[in-house]
């Protein structure tokens, strides 16, 4: 099964994580810091220390990864999983 590796780069412009294929990543080497994301957006690579961002949904589906449609509820979901149900 052929499976291209995918890198997730945080775009300095829109702050979202975009998927960049191996080929696109290699093609951008020696360039000016731009990468073509799977959603056709131009990603300007930001600092590697940038905080985790929400993923671009178009890139996620293009990369075959599940889309986290509700990043804002991540904490709540984890919390509710950690706290046992009082009514059980
Ligand atoms: Zn994207």
């Amino acid at each position: 099964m052929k499976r291209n590796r995918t890198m997730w780069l945080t775009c300095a412009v829109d702050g979202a994580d975009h998927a960049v294929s191996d080929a696109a990543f290699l093609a951008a080497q020696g360039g000016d810091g731009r990468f073509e994301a799977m959603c056709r957006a131009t990603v300007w690579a930001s600092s590697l220390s940038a905080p985790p961002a929400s993923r671009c949904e178009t890139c996620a589906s293009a990369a075959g990864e599940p889309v986290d449609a509700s990043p804002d509820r991540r904490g709540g979901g984890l919390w509710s999983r950690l706290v046992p149900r009082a009514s059980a």
Side-chain angles (χ1 to χ4, degrees):
M1 185 174 118
K2 184 184 177 189
R3 179 175 171 84
N4 291 325
R5 281 187 302 159
T6 301
M7 270 151 290
W8 289 88
L9 298 179
T10 303
C11 179
V13 177
D14 63 11
D17 283 353
H18 292 274
V20 176
S21 70
D22 243 8
F25 187 82
L26 289 174
Q29 295 302 301
D32 53 9
R34 282 181 296 171
F35 300 88
E36 185 182 346
M38 288 183 174
C39 65
R40 299 287 177 187
T42 298
V43 176
W44 291 88
S46 62
S47 163
L48 292 176
S49 61
S54 60
R55 288 186 168 185
C56 165
E57 291 186 22
T58 306
C59 280
S61 60
E65 299 198 12
V67 176
D68 187 354
S70 54
D72 292 336
R73 293 175 59 186
R74 244 180 243 155
L78 181 61
W79 179 248
S80 62
R81 248 175 278 150
L82 288 172
V83 177
R85 294 186 184 193
S87 60

